Amino acid sequence: MTRTQITVFVLVAIVALVLGLTVNKVLTAKGQGDPTALLDAGIVLLPQSRSLPTLTLTDQDGAEVAVDQLKEQWSLLFFGYTFCPDICPATLAQLRQLQGQLPEETRARLRLVLVSVDPKRDTPEQLKKYLAYFDAGFVGLTGEEATLQKFANAVSIPYIPADTSKDNYTVDHSGNLVIIGPDGTQRGFVRAPINNAKLAEQLPGLVSGS
């Protein structure tokens, strides 16, 4: 390696170190905890918060919900469906268990939402009946296929619409969760598979911030 190459390598290493320390300082200052511990828990924060699109969905009670108005609380959004044979019931069961592992103050700040990727079968009535098996506090959202797809794409959780002409069809979708802050913007993701023990350690510090 030449002297020039060594100099460039050293400069790059210094810049990377400075940037890393700066990011760590900013995140910690915002009350978001240790970035390394957050990543280890599967929490991936965006470098800059992302505004949600102006779209309206329907909740399990038949009320209209503007997705860019999911404010005042932190929200974890899971894109799934009630006829899902495996990932969805397992994820919702984990989220129910996670609630029991969180301090009361954190639970009060956190909203858990199932966004349907199967609008043909997931009526508000179906969502309400299904979510009651897990937790009455869970929110369910459904709507027109085009609206749901636009929402999913906007938060980088795309899914493949099913061939609804087939009996007992399934829908291919992600197991990741979307993190929405109390200001109504997307803050990041929780990567699947969910690790409740680590999330229970990191979520209180995250949602105590703004």
Side-chain angles (χ1 to χ4, degrees):
M1 183 180 290
T2 66
R3 179 175 297 178
T4 300
Q5 289 174 318
I6 293 174
T7 301
V8 171
F9 178 80
V10 171
L11 287 173
V12 169
I14 292 174
V15 170
L17 177 61
V18 171
L19 286 175
L21 291 174
T22 300
V23 170
N24 182 81
K25 183 177 180 180
V26 170
L27 291 177
T28 302
K30 289 183 178 181
Q32 294 177 334
D34 177 7
T36 302
L38 289 171
L39 284 173
D40 184 55
I43 299 173
V44 180
L45 298 179
L46 298 175
Q48 185 174 358
S49 61
R50 180 188 298 170
S51 297
L52 300 184
T54 305
L55 300 171
T56 299
L57 297 175
T58 304
D59 70 13
Q60 74 272 27
D61 294 318
E64 292 189 346
V65 176
V67 299
D68 61 342
Q69 294 300 310
L70 291 172
K71 298 180 178 180
E72 299 179 359
Q73 291 175 285
W74 286 81
S75 300
L76 291 181
L77 276 57
F78 174 60
F79 285 73
Y81 63 111
T82 65
F83 288 83
C84 179
D86 40 38
I87 295 175
C88 302
T91 299
L92 291 173
Q94 278 190 283
L95 291 175
R96 177 184 61 188
Q97 182 183 41
L98 175 62
Q99 280 193 321
Q101 297 175 247
L102 294 172
E104 183 177 350
E105 181 180 355
T106 302
R107 291 198 303 271
R109 291 172 175 263
L110 191 62
R111 177 193 294 118
L112 299 175
V113 183
L114 170 65
V115 182
S116 175
V117 295
D118 182 16
K120 181 179 180 179
R121 295 180 295 193
D122 284 346
T123 62
E125 294 78 13
Q126 172 63 18
L127 282 173
K128 188 168 187 175
K129 179 180 177 181
Y130 184 76
L131 292 175
Y133 289 117
F134 298 96
D135 192 295
F138 286 6
V139 176
L141 296 177
T142 188
E144 298 293 331
E145 182 74 69
T147 304
L148 289 166
Q149 277 205 316
K150 187 173 181 180
F151 185 26
N153 289 335
V155 294
S156 301
I157 305 286
Y159 66 93
I160 302 174
D163 180 356
T164 58
S165 66
K166 296 180 179 179
D167 294 332
N168 300 318
Y169 62 84
T170 58
V171 185
D172 291 328
H173 63 94
S174 171
N176 291 344
L177 308 178
V178 178
I179 303 173
I180 305 297
D183 60 351
T185 64
Q186 182 182 1
R187 300 296 186 85
F189 305 90
V190 177
R191 293 187 308 236
I194 297 172
N195 186 317
N196 276 4
K198 292 181 178 181
L199 283 177
E201 290 181 359
Q202 299 304 319
L203 282 176
L206 179 66
V207 305
S208 65
S210 60

